[in-house]
Amino acid sequence: MPEIAPHIERMPGSGVRHILELALRRPGTIILAVGEPGEVAGERIRDAAARGWRDGAIRYTPNGGIPSLREAIRAKLAHENGLRVDLEQIWVTVGATQALHLAMALTLSRGDEVLVPDPGYTTFTMNAHLLQAVPVPYPLRPERAFQPDLAELESLVTPRTRALIVNTPSNPLGSTFDRPTLDALIALARRHDLWLISDEVYERFTWGEPHVSPAALDPDDRVLSVFSLSKTYAMTGARVGWLVTPPGWRQTMLRVQESIVSCVDEPSQRAAAVALSGDQAAVQRSAAHYRDNLAAATALLDSRGLRYLSPTGAFYLWIDVSHVSGGDVAAWCERLLDEQGVAVAPGSAFGASGEGWIRVCVASDRDELLEGLSRLPAPR
């Protein structure tokens, strides 16, 4: 029979998903490996989706999204991100995952290179392989507090480089880039005429300086911005995100969106519009919960002598376990699951620079989080 396309066979899998699948087979496992908020989306959000189903709002919508949602997104971008955009720059997607795929598909051709953070979100590299582009990791190292070395990053640019991916707040690191760093990254993109793809999924959760959207610093429309409701409103399964494009892409986006998903289902879009335009107290409570969980978790790690990156955003802890992982943190995470009943994400799943580290999600129950962390082996 015919063979699957060779570039699909070369596409890496998700090391995080692998651990999760193993954990789900073990009742009673403490699962800290997955970026899933512990809360349930607010009642008014759920009611909006339910009304959509009851009203029979299950037909095609405009490719870019229902008008009420696009208007809510535009207002949000102006108020929170300093971005004033036309409605035709906003494209509602099946979560940030599709928005990221769209951004990369729109800017990369076969054989093109894309600079991806290492450690970085697994889908950056997976998408590049799927599109037959070449992911080029730019290392984020502990000795620089996992901030980019701009000279090293620039040295990785070649004539084939077409795009630079920036993720702040970072999944998996829980780090953020400040405005001077973002200014420098945009300047680098300008010097080499690169697109800059900005993943801002965790924008509402920063623990210090406020979030800065790269597109607000962009003087010449080279930034494509990816957003999501999944983490902010505990709507991971509703699958609603959006892509903000440069102006003038409407006809291109109509064709591309139609060819992939046509549109996002209307009940989920209605729920998203309510989430964005209504009271934001639940988001503030979530942020306070995550911040308190981080404080409790880091206090425990400090007491046990475990090294970690001090988080400035998102709801993850990046923890050094190199004292026990033996140079293969993925295998060690499987042993931890078998022996201690705790599932954590191996740092190597996010790139070679993650070897010896693990990612822990702090967005769930605090007692369970602290129990899981207490089972990590401390340095002797």
Side-chain angles (χ1 to χ4, degrees):
M1 63 181 293
E3 295 183 354
I4 196 168
H7 74 278
I8 299 297
E9 293 290 355
R10 294 191 294 270
M11 181 179 173
S14 169
V16 179
R17 174 59 62 173
H18 174 68
I19 284 289
L20 177 62
E21 294 291 344
L22 293 176
L24 292 175
R25 300 174 194 165
R26 294 177 51 103
T29 295
I30 297 175
I31 299 178
L32 306 177
V34 182
E36 183 85 67
E39 297 92 345
V40 175
E43 186 175 3
R44 61 188 178 81
I45 298 172
R46 302 196 309 272
D47 284 347
R51 283 194 302 272
W53 281 97
R54 289 196 299 269
D55 293 346
I58 49 176
R59 298 185 181 277
Y60 291 125
T61 76
N63 291 127
I66 60 176
S68 61
L69 177 53
R70 295 175 94 184
E71 288 284 5
I73 291 170
R74 180 165 67 171
K76 180 264 182 210
L77 291 172
H79 177 66
E80 295 181 6
N81 303 88
L83 298 178
R84 301 195 179 277
V85 301
D86 296 331
L87 284 184
E88 296 303 336
Q89 291 177 251
I90 298 167
W91 294 83
V92 178
T93 58
V94 183
T97 302
Q98 190 217 338
L100 177 63
H101 183 268
L102 271 178
M104 296 177 73
L106 287 160
T107 56
L108 298 170
S109 299
R110 179 177 181 177
D112 285 344
E113 295 175 356
V114 53
L115 297 164
V116 301
D118 177 10
Y121 183 47
T122 55
T123 304
F124 300 152
T125 296
M126 295 172 74
N127 273 346
H129 283 284
L130 185 61
L131 295 166
Q132 301 189 61
V134 180
V136 177
Y138 62 90
L140 304 173
R141 297 191 173 92
E143 59 267 26
R144 293 185 57 86
F146 295 95
Q147 295 293 301
D149 182 324
L150 294 171
E152 181 180 26
L153 174 54
E154 191 149 21
S155 74
L156 298 173
V157 177
T158 76
R160 295 296 300 171
T161 309
R162 289 276 290 162
L164 164 66
I165 295 180
V166 172
N167 177 208
T168 180
S170 166
N171 174 12
L173 296 171
S175 61
T176 53
F177 293 171
D178 60 18
R179 178 167 181 159
T181 299
L182 292 173
D183 279 328
L185 290 169
I186 289 171
L188 184 152
R190 293 186 74 193
R191 283 195 298 276
H192 298 282
D193 197 24
L194 307 180
W195 296 106
L196 190 148
I197 299 171
S198 175
D199 177 344
E200 304 178 46
V201 167
Y202 295 89
E203 58 168 336
R204 297 293 292 272
F205 306 125
T206 59
W207 321 120
E209 294 298 316
H211 174 70
V212 177
S213 289
L217 311 176
D218 175 23
D220 52 4
D221 297 325
R222 67 177 63 251
V223 174
L224 291 87
S225 305
V226 172
F227 296 91
S228 174
L229 280 79
S230 291
K231 314 297 182 177
T232 305
Y233 299 98
M235 293 173 62
T236 51
R239 311 308 303 134
V240 183
W242 68 90
L243 175 68
V244 181
T245 73
W249 287 27
R250 180 177 186 274
Q251 292 304 318
T252 296
M253 291 301 299
L254 286 171
R255 297 194 305 271
V256 173
Q257 182 80 325
E258 178 68 20
S259 72
I260 298 175
V261 297
S262 181
C263 60
V264 176
D265 72 279
E266 184 167 345
S268 290
Q269 291 192 64
R270 288 188 179 194
V274 167
L276 286 171
S277 58
D279 178 50
Q280 301 296 296
V283 178
Q284 296 165 7
R285 287 194 298 271
S286 294
H289 173 60
Y290 303 151
R291 186 171 55 247
D292 291 347
N293 275 9
L294 283 167
T298 54
L300 176 60
L301 295 176
D302 287 337
S303 72
R304 305 191 65 235
L306 284 158
R307 180 188 180 207
Y308 59 90
L309 174 66
S310 294
T312 54
F315 46 56
Y316 300 109
L317 273 173
W318 187 247
I319 303 171
D320 184 1
V321 294
S322 58
H323 58 286
V324 289
S325 60
D328 187 349
V329 72
W332 179 83
C333 285
E334 291 194 31
R335 293 198 299 275
L336 181 73
L337 177 61
D338 288 339
E339 296 170 6
Q340 297 294 332
V342 179
V344 296
S348 57
F350 305 98
S353 297
E355 181 55 57
W357 296 75
I358 58 173
R359 187 197 73 176
V360 166
C361 176
V362 306
S364 57
D365 177 77
R366 186 174 307 163
D367 290 341
E368 188 171 73
L369 167 66
L370 296 179
E371 175 60 29
L373 292 177
S374 73
R375 299 182 192 181
L376 297 179
R380 294 182 179 178

